[in-house]
Amino acid sequence: MDRRTFNKLMAMMAATAVAGGRTISLGQEAGGSAPQPAVLSPELTWAKAPCRFCGTGCHVMVGVGEGRVRAIMGDQKAEVNKGLLCVKGYHVGAILYGEDRLTRPLLRVNGQLQPIEWPEAIKIVADKIEAAPGRFALYGSGQWTIPEGYIAQKFMKGGLANNHIDPNARLCMASAVTGFLSTYGVDEPAGCYDDLDKCDVLIMWGNNPAEMHPVLFSRVIDRRSRGETVTLIDIGTRRTRTTEHCDEYLNFKPQTDLAIANGIAHLLIKNDTYDKSFVETYCAFKADSDPAELHGRPISFEEYKQFLEPYTPAYVAELSGVSVEKLHLLADLFGRRDIRITSLWCMGMNQHTQGTAINTLVHGIHLLSGHFGRPGDAPTSLTGQPSACGTVREVGTLSHGLPGGRVVTEESHRRDAEALWNVEAGRINPKPGHHTIEMWRRFCTAAAEGGDIDTIWVQVTNPGQTLPNRKALFTAKSSLPEKFLIVSDVYPTATTELADLVLPAAMWVEKNGVFGNSERRTQQWFKMVDPPGEARPDAWMMLAVARELFDRGHPSMRDKDGEFLFAMRGADGAVVPAWDWDHFYDMNVDKHVFEEYRQFTRMKHKDLAPYDAYVEARGLRWPVVEQPDGTWRETRYRFAGFDDPYVEKGKEIQFYHSPTHDGRAQVWFRPYVPPPESPDDDYPFWLCTGRVLEHWHSGTMTMRIPQLRRAMPGAYVEVNAEDAARAGIHDGETVIVETRRGSIELSVWIDGRGSSPPGTVFVPFFDEKKPINDLTLEAFDLFSKQPDYKKCAARIRKMPPAAATA
Amino acid sequence: MPITGLVITLAGDGQTAGQARTALAANRSLVLGEAFGSRVAGVLDTPNESENRRHWEWLNSLAGVVFVDVVYIALDPVDGDPAMTAAYSD
């Protein structure tokens, strides 16, 4: 059988299986349980892996032949995607094969990047750390695997006693973290994707899952195609592809989502339709303290009611632009006990200078109305990266975090970590390190002027394109020769353009890995192909640098017995020199690291199963608890007595990490607060930025997939038709988009992929040649330190005549 | 060699769905497989990427087609097709 015929047969088998809700056998399946009978794949070896892109956590089957990824198929055994994939997912194998993969370490010499050997590269990194360990920072990612993030965390906080480690996830979901913590006392959603199969109403708050999480959205649309009734409501500041499928669209003025949430709560109380029993049994009330602190101050229900008093439908309608009727519609839905409501959100609520506030308010509406804890009743945040939950939130790679929900400011948490890492008490620094914005501000400031970060090592992310106010927070490095930037990546990027040392990295199925998706699902995969040239895993790079420091006698990389901090022993008890590339795969480093990390996960009831349990499964949702028969049981609904093993017997709901230590979740009042920058006479438009279906984040992977690149080759500015007509701007015309921080030229797309209301423009951020983050605002949320990419003041100018005709 | 395995979800309305089935069956690049309720399996086989995209857009715009999911893709390039070889810097 030739490859073409084989591929057509495989394609039809996969389609038939998914359409009919069945699974198919792939013949030789690597890394799984018992081998399956060979059916149709004489040439390919198939193995599972989570998709490399967003936080949905779809599983793909990867077909490998002759050392290359040859085919990708949706994994029908995966509960998340049931065999389906989005346009990015089915091209995911191609991310490995862009022509310009980085294959050798490169050092900048006289302005040019020159190839060097790995030993020299490792020595340079160690030199920089040794010269000033406290002025070194590590900037990581929600695309780090869990073992990579854990090694980075231990290297910095347990080794160097340096908390200047922060991930790019600070830019995408830090406000969701502070929202969960201040409401439930513990991070991450209580519900899961099963809620999408059970809800009667799905409300998307500033969320566009049709483009950003298409497989999840398809799951809901599929219910409709089967004749089920599910009402979709889009609350947003611009119409998107999601809106096209919705029954209701509520367009609000940017920032006024706070007022809308308060308006719903106001009506629930005014109409006496809140769930009194739920509130009396399971809720307490909070408001901001002075000075402001994450856990605020307790208030009574009467005070809560008084705070909400001004948020009448008329007042909220005036502020938000949403009609009184639609506000009543939302409140009436939440007031019903006979339906189940799921809320979804992602960047629209998180990238917000009041991100913590709006997160807590949406949780509060669900708690106040009792729409919580039953399948289909859930407030659920989504993540944009494949392991923002697993590596950032669970491993705790934020600048204040420690593994398993611990924080550096708590002495008992530090002692736990020091004991598990076998380092002396007091090793971990109690002061949080610099968060992302502060880290880069200080790196881009001269040492003499307070810039106390000299060296940053960037791994698995592209801050040169994604930081807000990019000129101030990244480009300024070019005029500071004393600053040293190390970048581990797979392709040249906007960040490597300013790098002094570039380290070629292995990616996805070129290494072993573990991710954690948006619904608490931990997912494992094995290496399937070799990385190109001398590209190597980030985990190995960190182990090699740690060992170099150890060999130099640097005390940071020794435990309290004098042993190497990352010593790993094989089955015979002998240390395996995994820091030596020739021996890195002598053992499964991921398994060793994961088993060590697992010990941290019990305190906050985020229990993980042994590594081998994930090898068998298509992910398991924590807490994963061992059963009497030795099997491992996942948890779909946290805090719900019918499913969560940590809820005391006989209780329907128990918030067992309550911030008030009384089993209650917190319903917050937070007022509407104007944004830090609004349109004015000089800059009359709102500028919103975001993603598009075809591209993922800064486009370093998807812009190298020709099919995706051709489908969406460059950034554009989406302009409302009325605004365009008023300004005499035509479709396709190049204009200048400008804010107080910078300007770029962009092609106009009038009412294009989405549709912005009058006075609003939208620009996607995937295009490195059109760096929209030169224009965005770095103002951030007080608690989460997450900046707002969704709203700042901008203007559009026509090109000068000479330039326009050039 | 763009070969993609598809699941095409048709509208609940019998008449519109029937018209869509007829149009799908007439497309010579598309091989239809089994139908399970409103979901139909299919394979799209086109000589190059631009043809693949043209058919994809046609499928998505066809009255009676509610959703098109892709469940399988072969990654091998064909001679002369630049797919899989272009770099962002070109």
Side-chain angles (χ1 to χ4, degrees):
Chain A
M1 185 188 306
D2 65 18
R3 191 188 292 277
R4 187 175 189 81
T5 307
F6 162 72
N7 270 318
K8 287 175 75 169
L9 280 167
M10 283 300 296
M12 184 59 86
M13 280 185 68
T16 304
V18 174
R22 300 196 299 260
T23 57
I24 61 170
S25 169
L26 295 170
Q28 187 182 353
E29 186 176 343
S33 47
Q36 301 180 31
V39 174
L40 245 183
S41 53
E43 302 177 52
L44 301 184
T45 300
W46 294 88
K48 58 146 189 167
C51 178
R52 176 62 180 76
F53 293 120
C54 77
T56 300
C58 297
H59 265 101
V60 298
M61 293 303 295
V62 183
V64 174
E66 297 156 352
R68 250 180 101 95
V69 174
R70 299 283 177 187
I72 294 291
M73 179 162 55
D75 186 348
Q76 290 120 28
K77 291 181 185 170
E79 284 181 77
V80 170
N81 53 309
K82 299 178 172 70
L84 301 180
L85 292 174
C86 76
V87 66
K88 290 187 291 292
Y90 68 76
H91 283 109
V92 65
I95 61 176
L96 306 176
Y97 302 118
E99 263 188 349
D100 54 344
R101 276 294 295 265
L102 294 166
T103 58
R104 294 192 64 184
L106 303 168
L107 178 67
R108 194 171 297 279
V109 179
N110 298 324
Q112 299 295 315
L113 288 170
Q114 308 284 349
I116 59 170
E117 300 302 321
W118 267 113
E120 184 184 357
I122 295 300
K123 281 186 168 56
I124 291 169
V125 180
D127 287 347
K128 292 292 172 185
I129 294 171
E130 200 174 21
R135 300 173 73 89
F136 170 76
L138 186 52
Y139 186 63
S141 170
Q143 298 157 64
W144 260 335
T145 67
I146 286 174
E148 286 167 349
Y150 181 80
I151 291 171
Q153 174 82 305
K154 186 175 175 181
F155 178 87
M156 292 295 288
K157 291 173 181 156
L160 297 175
N162 174 343
N163 295 337
H164 298 321
I165 171 174
D166 215 38
N168 63 356
R170 177 75 72 179
L171 308 175
C172 70
M173 40 101 281
S175 296
V177 176
T178 46
F180 282 110
L181 283 175
S182 53
T183 301
Y184 309 103
V186 63
D187 186 24
E188 296 199 38
C192 60
Y193 298 159
D194 300 37
D195 291 311
L196 299 174
D197 304 329
K198 301 292 182 191
C199 64
D200 300 296
V201 179
L202 180 64
I203 303 178
M204 287 147 289
W205 298 77
N207 188 207
N208 178 14
E211 288 196 83
M212 308 315 156
H213 300 86
V215 168
L216 295 183
F217 196 66
S218 170
R219 193 163 164 164
V220 180
I221 297 301
D222 185 49
R223 288 182 59 196
R224 280 181 161 176
S225 74
R226 295 198 306 266
E228 293 184 39
T229 301
V230 53
T231 301
L232 304 185
I233 300 176
D234 180 11
I235 305 178
T237 59
R238 61 185 273 269
R239 297 182 75 95
T240 65
R241 283 190 170 178
T242 298
T243 321
E244 292 168 20
H245 294 270
C246 285
D247 302 281
E248 298 286 347
Y249 174 57
L250 283 65
N251 185 275
F252 67 93
K253 296 175 189 168
Q255 191 88 353
T256 63
D257 43 2
L258 299 155
I260 293 169
N262 282 336
I264 296 168
H266 171 103
L267 283 171
L268 285 168
I269 290 173
K270 209 70 168 174
N271 298 340
D272 206 25
T273 50
Y274 70 98
D275 189 331
K276 293 175 198 64
S277 169
F278 192 94
V279 168
E280 283 168 12
T281 314
Y282 303 120
C283 299
F285 293 86
K286 284 270 180 83
D288 279 321
S289 54
D290 184 16
E293 289 177 354
L294 179 64
H295 290 294
R297 65 184 171 94
I299 57 172
S300 67
F301 181 61
E302 287 306 314
E303 287 175 282
Y304 176 71
K305 276 169 65 176
Q306 284 172 19
F307 283 136
L308 288 172
E309 198 61 39
Y311 291 89
T312 62
Y315 174 63
V316 174
E318 185 187 342
L319 265 180
S320 67
V322 173
S323 71
V324 167
E325 292 72 26
K326 295 213 171 180
L327 293 168
H328 277 288
L329 178 143
L330 285 175
D332 290 347
L333 285 171
F334 274 105
R336 285 175 59 179
R337 301 281 91 77
D338 62 326
I339 56 171
R340 301 195 178 194
I341 303 176
T342 292
S343 287
L344 286 184
W345 68 92
C346 199
M347 296 307 114
M349 270 173 46
N350 295 344
Q351 292 179 337
H352 196 313
T353 50
Q354 295 293 318
T356 304
I358 185 61
N359 269 266
T360 53
L361 292 181
V362 172
H363 289 300
I365 294 168
H366 276 265
L367 294 168
L368 193 64
S369 61
H371 283 288
F372 187 96
R374 299 179 303 173
D377 268 335
T380 297
S381 69
L382 299 172
T383 52
Q385 298 187 82
S387 201
C389 282
T391 306
V392 174
R393 294 161 76 161
E394 294 155 29
V395 178
T397 51
L398 293 153
S399 58
H400 65 284
L402 287 168
R406 292 168 179 80
V407 291
V408 298
T409 48
E410 285 280 341
E411 183 174 1
S412 62
H413 294 182
R414 294 195 304 276
R415 298 295 168 261
D416 284 349
E418 286 159 353
L420 284 165
W421 287 338
N422 195 37
V423 297
E424 67 280 5
R427 169 83 71 97
I428 297 172
N429 187 336
K431 186 181 172 193
H434 296 322
H435 59 81
T436 294
I437 299 295
E438 196 60 26
M439 179 190 291
W440 287 97
R441 180 184 290 143
R442 287 169 186 256
F443 183 65
C444 287
T445 301
E449 295 167 18
D452 63 4
I453 297 296
D454 297 340
T455 299
I456 296 184
W457 186 358
V458 174
Q459 295 183 4
V460 212
T461 185
N462 187 11
Q465 189 169 337
T466 55
L467 285 167
N469 194 9
R470 194 179 76 121
K471 287 181 180 171
L473 296 180
F474 182 75
T475 317
K477 186 265 176 198
S478 59
S479 61
L480 297 168
E482 74 274 22
K483 304 285 181 164
F484 197 83
L485 181 61
I486 304 163
V487 181
S488 300
D489 213 327
V490 296
Y491 289 112
T493 66
T495 308
T496 62
E497 278 182 26
L498 292 191
D500 300 287
L501 178 66
V502 176
L503 305 175
M507 71 187 304
W508 195 45
V509 297
E510 294 169 350
K511 60 187 180 184
N512 295 329
V514 185
F515 280 161
N517 82 346
S518 292
E519 60 163 354
R520 297 175 278 108
R521 184 184 292 274
T522 309
Q523 306 162 292
Q524 177 276 349
W525 76 94
F526 286 120
K527 174 179 181 288
M528 300 175 204
V529 295
D530 290 329
E534 296 175 28
R536 294 178 185 178
D538 297 272
W540 174 80
M541 295 182 209
M542 288 184 279
L543 293 179
V545 171
R547 185 66 189 195
E548 174 69 22
L549 288 167
F550 176 85
D551 288 344
R552 292 180 186 190
H554 202 275
S556 63
M557 294 300 143
R558 294 177 187 278
D559 68 14
K560 65 183 181 188
D561 300 322
E563 192 168 26
F564 180 40
L565 196 60
F566 295 98
M568 300 180 199
R569 296 182 186 281
D572 61 356
V575 171
V576 176
W579 59 85
D580 178 346
W581 177 241
D582 290 339
H583 295 282
F584 182 69
Y585 283 110
D586 285 359
M587 69 184 301
N588 184 341
V589 169
D590 266 33
K591 179 174 177 175
H592 177 94
V593 170
F594 188 85
E595 294 297 346
E596 181 180 310
Y597 160 59
R598 225 185 117 218
Q599 300 174 74
F600 281 92
T601 60
R602 295 286 176 85
M603 184 192 80
K604 285 276 190 174
H605 300 100
K606 302 183 178 189
D607 311 27
L608 298 177
Y611 180 88
D612 289 340
Y614 298 97
V615 173
E616 300 292 329
R618 261 57 173 181
L620 295 168
R621 288 166 282 194
W622 58 258
V624 188
V625 177
E626 189 170 19
Q627 302 300 291
D629 65 359
T631 59
W632 294 87
R633 179 188 179 276
E634 66 170 358
T635 303
R636 293 175 303 152
Y637 299 98
R638 279 162 94 205
F639 312 131
F642 72 90
D643 193 45
D644 185 338
Y646 287 114
V647 172
E648 290 171 30
K649 275 206 167 57
K651 292 196 172 179
E652 279 185 45
I653 300 278
Q654 186 184 13
F655 296 106
Y656 47 75
H657 284 293
S658 163
T660 40
H661 309 292
D662 55 2
R664 291 172 183 268
Q666 313 300 305
V667 178
W668 282 77
F669 169 76
R670 246 104 186 212
Y672 165 74
V673 176
E677 186 178 270
S678 298
D680 54 24
D681 290 345
D682 293 331
Y683 295 88
F685 288 92
W686 286 109
L687 167 63
C688 178
T689 69
R691 293 206 275 124
V692 292
L693 172 67
E694 293 84 352
H695 291 297
W696 195 72
H697 286 200
S698 62
T700 51
M701 292 184 283
T702 50
M703 283 292 268
R704 286 174 171 85
I705 300 173
Q707 296 89 337
L708 298 178
R709 186 181 171 194
R710 282 188 213 121
M712 182 61 79
Y716 57 88
V717 55
E718 177 183 285
V719 181
N720 175 273
E722 291 173 28
D723 289 334
R726 203 173 297 121
I729 292 171
H730 304 288
D731 216 15
E733 177 180 345
T734 300
V735 296
I736 299 168
V737 181
E738 199 167 26
T739 69
R740 290 183 172 85
R741 293 156 291 282
S743 67
I744 55 172
E745 296 174 9
L746 287 161
S747 176
V748 170
W749 194 355
I750 295 173
D751 287 344
R753 172 65 63 80
S755 178
S756 295
T760 299
V761 296
F762 170 83
V763 180
F765 73 95
F766 67 85
D767 188 351
E768 127 179 3
K769 295 182 173 69
K770 302 288 183 186
I772 188 59
N773 283 317
D774 281 355
L775 280 66
T776 48
L777 192 62
E778 68 189 85
F780 52 78
D781 179 89
L782 177 66
F783 303 104
S784 69
K785 319 298 184 195
Q786 179 168 355
D788 188 333
Y789 292 86
K790 299 296 182 188
K791 42 192 166 299
C792 66
R795 64 186 173 205
I796 304 172
R797 288 194 289 121
K798 287 177 77 74
M799 297 284 284
T805 55
Chain B
M1 183 174 63
I3 291 174
T4 46
L6 307 172
V7 175
I8 302 163
T9 304
L10 300 176
D13 166 21
Q15 189 179 352
T16 321
Q19 289 167 351
R21 275 180 207 274
T22 306
L24 292 171
N27 185 325
R28 298 177 70 175
S29 296
L30 184 66
V31 179
L32 292 182
E34 271 188 86
F36 301 86
S38 59
R39 306 176 93 186
V40 185
V43 173
L44 187 60
D45 179 6
T46 56
N48 55 49
E49 283 299 331
S50 56
E51 274 295 294
N52 186 272
R53 179 153 188 84
R54 193 174 66 76
H55 283 279
W56 172 256
E57 285 169 357
W58 173 78
L59 274 171
N60 276 285
S61 65
L62 190 63
V65 171
V66 178
F67 226 82
V68 183
D69 289 298
V70 176
V71 296
Y72 183 94
I73 185 162
L75 297 173
D76 291 341
V78 284
D79 292 344
D81 188 338
M84 307 299 301
T85 60
Y88 185 27
S89 54
D90 66 6

